């Protein structure tokens, strides 16, 4: 190969799934020699594979308030050296650097010696390096401190304004960053100007401080001219202020994603069947019992033979009320399909998207049979995940129905969004449906209500600490049903992972806790074939054994009695979204949990050493 045709390697590579979770538009990435900001979707080049999932695309379009959105997989690097360069563009960020010099500075006031390095803007570098007093080039590294706001805007800190504590000061002397100790304590990091002004970086970390000034709406990942004119807090109308952000910190980027399980459209078959007999026989029906009477007519019986009276009655009610067919929430559609797997749903074909079958419950113990309604083995499933935006400092997650709030603040992926990045995972799983009457009876117990008040108070304190107005921002406690099922799911993931062949971090959860039904779906999925090895389906054939193990493990935590005695409303511990939960019992890998390890309490599942009496499963 001639030198002219030699392929120039990319500056860095990441997996497609990492783009959606960690390194999407607006994320900061450390490369071997630079720190960069992933560009917006308008800077993604190359052919992108289209992903079809109408239910997800329609919901994303509604959230982004556009007419239509397509789903595409992130572009891959083109292997042909003669082809046009493909991939995802990046911008250099931050644009301030520290020269790697070995110098110290003695503070006569504190009698301390600090390591000191020149703090330089990009324009002061020569060929990307610092030219010292001896005219020798010295390597530089990006400064690790930037400023950002909760709406995702980000920019370099105005270092001259910060050190002089005066936005009108015209001094442009050489800046230095002094670090004492290990360099991780903000109180030991100072910015110093050669004019002898010096200020601790800790000043920028004051809670609700305005040291770094009002946010100017900078969106450098979308280009130089993508600045938003106003950055205000909608609930109060006051400006948002910049906060100090460490580039590599875990709160620098939270991808906001929405996922659905691809399902066969069961309603389509029901709608087609009702179409055949609606006008002649069903349009004036007033109850499910009348549907049963109409089945005595041969034409009606033939048309509706695959559907129950209740399902047909719901469809008739929908038509009589004039409701649309697309108003169901994401998880509502999923649990309805899973509960419909009385025999099997979908097709068992190699490239199929969904295939599930119900198993017999003959051998369940009375404790389980009175609480478990159905167990479904999901041999094949396809999960599609799309990114709709991102946040900084605080994560905004889907609610318990799998929906993202339209009014939630999020940073944009593009100036005008016509498509969003998405990936599809193939996998398998097991679904456990719980009886509504069992959960409703459990909720009526006084001990459960008391525990619910404690958990709700903790949630209220958490909202107050975060400055969240629950009424204006429509934030509410997810409920005891969700917390109980969520906690049981975590216990099951740990128990199942010991035998299924998958690591616990590879098993994911979907919790269903609404009027449509109650259930837990444990599933695995990956972009390759690793998630379809059959381990979870085999576990599902004897899931009651693993459920017993999970409950036994949940009764005692290695941190008891401290864990069991924790109160959610304890303001000293500041674990307001946890009941009896810690790393010794319920907390698992965040890649597995749909709520970032929040809203957990094993006291709602099993009896603990505290003996609260609020458990769903008795001894």
């Amino acid at each position: 190969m001639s030198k002219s045709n030699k392929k120039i390697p990319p500056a860095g590579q990441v997996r497609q799934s990492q783009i959606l979770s960690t390194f999407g538009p607006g994320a900061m990435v450390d490369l071997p020699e630079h720190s960069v900001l992933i560009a917006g979707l308008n800077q993604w080049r190359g052919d992108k594979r289209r992903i079809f999932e109408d239910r997800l695309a329609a919901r994303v379009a509604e959230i982004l308030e556009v007419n239509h959105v397509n789903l595409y997989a992130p572009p891959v690097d083109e292997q042909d050296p003669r082809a046009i360069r493909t991939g995802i563009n990046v911008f250099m960020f931050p644009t301030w650097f520290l020269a790697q010099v070995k110098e110290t500075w003695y503070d006569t006031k504190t009698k301390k010696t600090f390591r000191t390095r020149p703090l330089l803007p990009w324009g002061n570098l020569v060929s990307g390096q610092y030219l010292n007093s001896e005219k020798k080039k010295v390597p530089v590294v990006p400064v690790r401190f930037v400023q950002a706001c909760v709406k995702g805007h980000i920019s370099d800190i105005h270092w001259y304004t910060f050190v002089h504590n005066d936005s009108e000061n015209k001094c442009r002397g050489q800046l230095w960053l002094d670090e004492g100790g290990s360099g991780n304590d903000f109180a030991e990091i100072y910015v110093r100007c050669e004019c002898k002004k010096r200020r601790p970086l800790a000043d920028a970390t004051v809670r609700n401080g305005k040291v770094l000034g009002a946010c100017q709406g900078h969106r450098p990942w979308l280009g130089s001219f993508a600045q938003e004119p106003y950055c205000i807090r909608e609930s109060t109308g006051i400006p948002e202020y910049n906060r100090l952000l460490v580039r590599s910190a875990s709160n620098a980027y939270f991808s906001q994603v929405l996922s659905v399980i691809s399902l066969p459209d069961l309603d389509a078959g029901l709608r087609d069947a009702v179409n055949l007999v609606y006008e002649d026989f069903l349009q004036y029906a007033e109850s499910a019992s009348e549907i049963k009477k109409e089945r005595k007519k041969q034409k009606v019986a033939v048309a509706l033979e695959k559907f129950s009276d209740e399902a047909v009655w719901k469809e008739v009610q929908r038509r009589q009320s004039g409701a649309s067919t697309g108003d169901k929430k994401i998880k509502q559609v999923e649990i309805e399909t899973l509960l419909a797997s009385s025999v099997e749903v979908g097709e068992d074909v190699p490239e199929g998207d969904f295939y599930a079958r119900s198993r017999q419950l003959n051998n369940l113990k009375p404790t389980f049979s009175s609480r478990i309604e159905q167990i479904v083995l999901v041999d094949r499933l396809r999960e599609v995940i799309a990114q709709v935006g991102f946040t900084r400092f605080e994560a905004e997650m889907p609610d318990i129905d799998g929906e993202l709030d339209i009014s939630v603040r999020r940073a944009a992926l593009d100036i005008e969004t016509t498509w969003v990045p998405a990936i599809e995972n193939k996998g398998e799983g097991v679904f456990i449906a719980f009886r509504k009457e069992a959960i409703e009876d459990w909720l009526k117990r006084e001990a459960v209500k008391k525990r619910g008040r404690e958990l709700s108070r903790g949630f209220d304190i958490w909202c107050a600490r975060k400055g969240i107005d629950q009424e204006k921002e429509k934030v509410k406690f997810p409920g005891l049903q969700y917390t109980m099922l969520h906690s049981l799911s975590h216990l099951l993931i740990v128990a199942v992972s010991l035998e299924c062949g998958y690591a616990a971090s590879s098993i994911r959860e979907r919790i269903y806790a609404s009027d449509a039904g109650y259930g837990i779906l444990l599933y695995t999925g990956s972009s390759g074939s690793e998630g379809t090895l059959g381990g979870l389906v085999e576990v599902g054939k004897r899931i009651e054994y693993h459920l017993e193990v999970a409950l036994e493990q949940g009764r005692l935590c290695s941190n008891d009695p401290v864990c069991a005695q924790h109160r959610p409303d304890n303001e000293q511990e500041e674990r307001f979204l946890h009941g009896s939960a810690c790393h010794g019992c319920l907390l698992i890998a965040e890649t597995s949990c749909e709520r970032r390890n929040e809203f957990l309490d094993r006291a709602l599942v099993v009896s603990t050493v505290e003996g609260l009496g609020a458990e769903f499963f008795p001894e």
Side-chain angles (χ1 to χ4, degrees):
M1 183 185 294
S2 64
K3 289 185 178 180
S4 59
N5 289 332
K6 188 174 181 179
K7 180 176 173 62
I8 302 174
Q13 292 181 328
V14 295
R15 293 170 61 96
Q16 284 183 312
S17 58
Q18 289 179 305
I19 292 293
L20 265 71
S21 60
T22 312
F23 302 120
M28 290 174 283
V29 183
D30 280 326
L31 299 178
E33 298 181 0
H34 304 286
S35 173
V36 297
L37 199 66
I38 301 294
L41 301 181
N42 58 335
Q43 296 283 336
W44 293 23
R45 303 189 180 95
D47 293 331
K48 302 178 289 292
R49 181 174 62 87
R50 177 81 179 271
I51 295 177
F52 294 93
E53 179 49 62
D54 293 341
R55 194 158 56 98
L56 179 59
R59 183 56 183 148
V60 171
E62 183 181 357
I63 290 171
L64 298 180
E65 299 180 345
V66 296
N67 293 328
H68 180 70
V69 166
N70 291 326
L71 309 178
Y72 288 99
V76 296
D77 186 33
E78 178 59 59
Q79 300 300 314
D80 187 353
R82 296 166 295 182
I84 298 174
R85 188 74 180 269
T86 62
I88 297 174
N89 197 14
V90 297
F91 299 107
M92 183 178 291
F93 184 83
T95 59
W96 282 78
F97 299 83
L98 292 171
Q100 296 294 75
V101 299
K102 295 182 179 179
E103 296 186 21
T104 59
W105 183 81
Y106 183 72
D107 184 7
T108 56
K109 292 182 179 179
T110 61
K111 309 297 183 183
K112 280 187 177 182
T113 300
F114 292 81
R115 177 196 179 189
T116 187
R117 290 180 289 175
L119 182 60
L120 308 151
W122 173 256
N124 289 8
L125 302 181
V126 178
S127 300
Q129 293 183 308
Y130 169 59
L131 204 62
N132 64 14
S133 57
E134 298 176 358
K135 304 300 181 183
K136 291 183 180 180
K137 291 183 178 180
V138 178
V140 297
V141 295
V143 67
R144 58 191 173 110
F145 308 109
V146 296
Q147 63 184 16
C149 83
V150 293
K151 290 192 172 183
H153 303 130
I154 194 168
S155 60
D156 282 294
I157 294 174
H158 302 289
W159 292 107
Y160 287 110
T161 299
F162 175 78
V163 70
H164 295 100
N165 198 16
D166 182 5
S167 59
E168 303 298 326
N169 192 288
K170 303 299 182 182
C171 176
R172 291 298 179 266
Q174 176 60 56
L175 298 180
W176 297 78
L177 193 73
D178 303 335
E179 298 172 279
S182 63
N184 293 323
D185 184 357
F186 289 150
E188 294 291 322
I189 301 175
Y190 292 80
V191 182
R192 176 170 52 87
C193 180
E194 64 180 3
C195 72
K196 297 186 179 180
K197 287 285 186 179
R198 192 167 183 255
R199 191 176 188 187
L201 195 62
D203 285 0
T205 64
V206 177
R207 189 180 182 88
N208 298 322
K210 301 178 181 180
V211 174
L212 298 178
C215 175
Q216 300 300 310
H218 291 289
R219 300 188 294 179
W221 67 94
L222 298 181
S224 303
F225 302 100
Q227 180 177 353
E228 287 186 315
Y230 303 105
C231 183
I232 60 172
R233 187 173 300 176
E234 288 80 0
S235 58
T236 60
I238 63 175
E240 289 284 2
Y241 282 85
N242 288 309
R243 303 184 191 178
L244 182 70
L245 182 64
V246 180
R247 287 190 296 106
S248 57
S250 59
N251 66 345
Y253 189 85
F254 294 105
S255 179
Q256 215 170 26
V257 298
L258 195 63
S259 70
V260 302
I261 304 295
S262 293
L263 301 169
D265 190 354
L266 299 181
D267 289 344
L270 175 61
R271 289 194 298 270
D272 291 342
V274 174
N275 283 342
L276 298 175
V277 293
Y278 181 73
E279 289 189 0
D280 294 334
F281 303 99
L282 304 181
Q283 63 176 319
Y284 299 115
E286 296 181 354
S287 66
S289 60
E290 290 194 20
I291 303 295
K292 186 176 182 180
K293 291 179 182 178
E294 294 293 341
R295 282 184 186 271
K296 296 178 181 178
K297 300 170 183 175
Q298 184 179 8
K299 185 177 180 180
V300 178
V302 172
L304 305 180
E305 62 178 348
K306 295 182 179 179
F307 306 98
S308 67
D309 295 336
E310 289 73 17
V312 174
W313 170 234
K314 286 183 180 179
E315 173 62 15
V316 170
Q317 283 182 303
R318 184 192 65 77
R319 296 183 183 217
Q320 291 174 343
S321 64
S324 66
T325 59
D327 55 356
K328 291 183 178 179
K329 295 183 179 296
I330 286 175
K331 284 189 175 179
Q332 180 184 352
V333 177
E334 293 175 5
I335 192 171
E336 287 178 355
T337 303
L338 290 165
L339 292 174
S341 307
S342 56
V343 181
E344 62 179 15
V345 173
E347 295 183 85
D348 187 13
V349 295
E351 298 300 321
D353 289 342
F354 187 84
Y355 176 66
R357 53 200 168 92
S358 183
R359 52 153 280 196
Q360 297 294 324
L361 304 181
N362 299 333
N363 300 323
L364 289 185
K365 293 181 178 180
T367 302
F368 293 153
S369 60
S370 62
R371 290 164 175 78
I372 295 177
E373 178 181 3
Q374 194 173 352
I375 296 176
V376 179
L377 308 178
V378 186
D379 293 85
R380 303 180 188 279
L381 64 79
R382 170 179 175 257
E383 180 189 31
V384 182
I385 306 172
Q387 184 181 9
V388 298
F390 67 89
T391 60
R392 304 193 198 275
F393 298 107
E394 298 172 5
E396 297 284 357
M397 296 167 290
D399 61 18
I400 63 172
D401 294 316
E403 301 278 340
L404 285 172
D405 191 350
I406 293 177
S407 63
V408 163
R409 57 195 175 203
R410 65 175 58 85
L413 304 179
D414 202 349
I415 297 175
E416 295 182 359
T417 306
T418 58
W419 68 277
V420 295
I423 58 171
E424 55 182 348
N425 295 326
K426 296 293 183 73
E428 54 159 338
V430 56
F431 172 72
I432 306 173
F434 294 89
R435 299 184 185 277
K436 278 188 178 182
E437 58 272 19
I439 290 182
E440 289 169 357
D441 290 343
W442 169 72
L443 290 172
K444 294 175 183 177
R445 289 161 49 187
E446 190 56 41
V448 176
K449 293 178 181 179
K450 180 181 177 182
R451 187 60 169 175
R453 290 191 290 268
E454 293 177 358
L455 291 166
S456 184
R457 280 199 301 271
F459 179 75
D460 293 341
I461 296 172
W462 178 80
C463 288
R465 290 284 184 95
K466 295 285 185 180
I468 298 173
D469 189 319
Q470 295 186 52
E471 292 186 5
K472 289 184 178 179
E473 301 188 33
K474 298 180 181 178
V475 177
K476 62 180 181 179
F477 180 64
L480 290 180
Q481 309 97 304
Y482 182 90
T483 305
M484 185 273 290
L485 292 173
H486 190 203
S487 304
L488 176 59
S489 173
H490 281 215
L491 291 171
L492 260 178
I493 287 175
V494 175
V496 162
S497 66
L498 299 176
E499 287 194 19
C500 71
Y502 299 109
S505 58
S506 300
I507 303 173
R508 301 173 64 184
E509 67 179 3
R510 286 178 90 83
I511 311 300
Y512 302 91
S514 66
D515 293 338
Y518 299 100
I520 297 171
L521 173 65
L522 301 186
Y523 69 100
T524 183
S526 69
S527 53
S529 60
E530 295 87 352
T532 58
L533 302 178
L536 276 184
V537 170
E538 287 301 313
V539 160
K541 294 177 181 177
R542 52 196 295 266
I543 193 67
E544 58 271 25
Y545 164 74
H546 297 283
L547 186 56
E548 281 191 65
V549 173
L551 297 179
E552 186 62 33
Q553 290 176 343
R555 289 190 177 96
L556 188 64
C557 172
S558 59
N559 290 322
D560 277 340
V562 175
C563 176
Q565 292 175 348
H566 169 68
R567 294 292 180 266
D569 52 0
N570 187 324
E571 299 195 31
Q572 280 69 45
E573 293 188 46
E574 294 191 350
R575 292 196 298 122
F576 305 117
L577 302 183
H578 289 157
S580 178
C582 69
H583 284 284
C585 53
L586 288 188
L587 272 60
I588 59 176
E590 289 195 0
T591 53
S592 300
C593 179
E594 68 174 17
R595 298 293 296 182
R596 301 183 63 83
N597 274 328
E598 295 172 344
F599 302 110
L600 295 167
D601 184 12
R602 60 189 170 93
L604 296 178
V605 182
V606 293
S607 176
T608 67
V609 295
E610 189 69 0
L612 300 178
E615 65 274 5
F616 182 67
F617 291 94
E619 287 281 354

